[in-house]
Amino acid sequence: IDFGLSRHFRDGISGVSGTPGYIPPEVWRQMPWSPAGDVHCLGVVLYQIYGAPQRAFQGTTIPQIREATLCTKPDWNAVAAHTGLVDLLAKMLAKDPKSRPSVATC
């Protein structure tokens, strides 16, 4: 899991680093890590906890997982039984890091 990784990249270093399925879309796009990436990773973990065994971004290969992360939304039915969780996760897993809640509000 990539929690805290953004702390090491505050100087604008970019590149794909992390675990496929947890890597935020902006990192797949070769943009710098930021705290918003950690919010995305937390969203993936929460999705897996409440939507188990389903993963937020499906694929059996790294390119498939990358494509799912960049282009698809998770199946919200997997977590729909948990009131209010879908709205929070949808914000945390937003493709645009500027649309995600801050670390402090999660």
Side-chain angles (χ1 to χ4, degrees):
I1 299 177
D2 307 309
F3 299 112
L5 190 58
S6 64
R7 183 177 21 243
H8 301 290
F9 293 102
R10 286 200 176 130
D11 295 329
I13 297 169
S14 62
V16 177
S17 178
T19 305
Y22 298 86
I23 299 171
E26 61 271 19
V27 174
W28 282 118
R29 291 187 185 105
Q30 301 289 320
M31 296 169 61
W33 271 94
S34 72
D38 286 340
V39 170
H40 183 273
C41 293
L42 177 59
V44 171
V45 170
L46 291 174
Y47 183 94
Q48 285 191 239
I49 290 170
Y50 290 101
Q54 186 162 329
R55 295 177 183 254
F57 303 106
Q58 301 290 313
T60 56
T61 66
I62 291 173
Q64 289 172 344
I65 296 168
R66 178 187 183 275
E67 185 70 17
T69 302
L70 291 171
C71 301
T72 66
K73 294 181 180 179
D75 176 7
W76 299 121
N77 291 324
V79 294
H82 306 282
T83 308
L85 189 59
V86 172
D87 290 338
L88 175 62
L89 290 179
K91 292 173 185 171
M92 294 175 79
L93 298 176
K95 304 298 182 195
D96 179 359
K98 294 176 184 158
S99 298
R100 294 183 201 132
S102 69
V103 173
T105 61
C106 289

